[in-house]
Amino acid sequence: MIFDVLTLFPEMFECVLSHSILKRAVEKGKLKVNLINIRDFSKDKHKRVDDYPYGGGPGMVMMPQPLFDAIEFVKSQGNIPVYYLSPKGKIFTQEMARELSKMKRIALLCGHYEGIDERVYAVIDGEISIGDFILTGGELAAMVVIDAVTRLIDGVLSHPQSALEESFSDYLLEYPQYTRPEVFRGMRVPEVLLSGNHAEIARWRRQKSLEITLLKRPDLLKKANLTEEDKKFLREKGYEI
């Protein structure tokens, strides 16, 4: 998977890409991130990329020329969709991450200041938002997208089942996890997890996942693929199906 990241601050990505799962994905050849500095495409002698907005108002707006040239540079290398990280975009979800993970190459445009010149949308294929809040720039949002998508690429995680059992994989939140010691400050690991009965453990985990989702994100249950046993369990918990 190749990500082309168009940014004013490529150095921000160095730390993220040199640790943990992303680092291992790069080392395995499963992930490649091309960091493209938008300033390199500015034709201004001072490499300026922003200017005051027409009509007045606070802040600065990213100019069309450097952005057009940077995006066209990426698109000249193939049929590469460009997504702008924007609070006006479609909310990023696990389902979207799964769809993006099926692509071979995508570009992420990181905005800054008060946003981009409206005319740049002519060469943008879509917008992605990681939530209803404002960030200083699109770099952190791009990192979130890269991390979430990379986890779903075959061969990235040591245990492929991990990606299938994590929160939101089936529109359900993940079940509780425990490790050693068996007893900590008087709190015990549930007996079922020590039983060795894999069928009972799977059943307990499924029910806990349902219970936690009902408690914290009941809206997700409307999208979840529920079995008859799941529905019976939820009805017993007072959830109307």
Side-chain angles (χ1 to χ4, degrees):
M1 177 84 180
I2 300 175
F3 284 94
D4 296 284
V5 181
L6 292 82
T7 172
L8 296 176
F9 302 98
E11 62 276 7
M12 288 181 65
F13 291 83
E14 294 173 4
C15 181
V16 173
L17 295 172
S18 60
H19 291 85
S20 191
I21 289 173
L22 294 185
K23 177 185 178 182
R24 294 198 293 272
V26 171
E27 292 173 343
K28 289 180 179 179
K30 299 290 183 179
L31 171 67
K32 182 178 181 182
V33 179
N34 298 320
L35 297 173
I36 300 166
N37 194 328
I38 297 168
R39 292 188 190 278
D40 291 341
F41 295 86
S42 174
K43 294 179 180 178
D44 179 83
K45 64 179 181 179
H46 300 296
K47 294 298 180 181
R48 188 174 181 179
V49 295
D50 63 311
D51 209 335
Y52 294 103
Y54 277 120
M60 307 290 276
V61 176
M62 294 183 73
M63 301 161 65
Q65 179 272 311
L67 291 174
F68 261 84
D69 286 0
I71 292 170
E72 288 172 349
F73 167 75
V74 170
K75 287 182 174 287
S76 70
Q77 300 175 50
N79 185 24
I80 304 168
V82 176
Y83 296 94
Y84 174 41
L85 283 308
S86 162
K88 294 186 289 185
K90 185 177 180 180
I91 295 294
F92 186 66
T93 63
Q94 188 70 7
E95 184 178 3
M96 187 188 297
R98 193 175 297 113
E99 290 301 313
L100 293 177
S101 72
K102 297 174 184 177
M103 300 182 180
K104 293 183 178 180
R105 186 171 181 176
I106 62 175
L108 301 175
L109 171 61
C110 304
H112 251 274
Y113 313 117
E114 294 302 311
I116 62 176
D117 186 291
E118 187 70 16
R119 290 165 289 189
V120 180
Y121 282 99
V123 286
I124 288 175
D125 299 285
E127 294 176 88
I128 297 174
S129 169
I130 64 168
D132 295 335
F133 49 88
I134 306 300
L135 296 170
T136 302
E139 283 77 14
L140 292 176
M143 294 174 198
V144 168
V145 172
I146 292 170
D147 186 90
V149 171
T150 300
R151 297 175 62 83
L152 298 172
I153 298 171
D154 288 343
V156 168
L157 297 182
S158 300
H159 301 284
Q161 191 67 17
S162 296
L164 298 176
E165 295 183 355
E166 289 177 329
S167 292
F168 304 110
S169 59
D170 188 28
Y171 295 105
L172 296 177
L173 301 182
E174 192 176 15
Y175 50 78
Q177 297 276 20
Y178 296 87
T179 188
R180 293 177 180 144
E182 184 178 327
V183 180
F184 180 73
R185 296 190 178 183
M187 295 177 283
R188 287 186 167 274
V189 174
E191 288 296 329
V192 64
L193 299 179
L194 308 174
S195 68
N197 187 326
H198 298 297
E200 283 302 310
I201 291 173
R203 186 168 182 268
W204 179 87
R205 285 176 168 171
R206 179 70 176 184
Q207 290 184 346
K208 282 296 180 182
S209 184
L210 291 165
E211 190 174 9
I212 291 171
T213 305
L214 176 61
L215 177 65
K216 298 183 177 183
R217 289 291 305 276
D219 55 297
L220 294 174
L221 293 173
K222 296 177 181 179
K223 301 178 181 179
N225 184 20
L226 302 175
T227 66
E228 289 303 316
E229 184 178 352
D230 292 338
K231 294 176 182 178
K232 181 176 181 293
F233 176 79
L234 289 170
R235 280 193 289 266
E236 291 171 355
K237 293 292 180 179
Y239 180 74
E240 295 184 8
I241 301 177

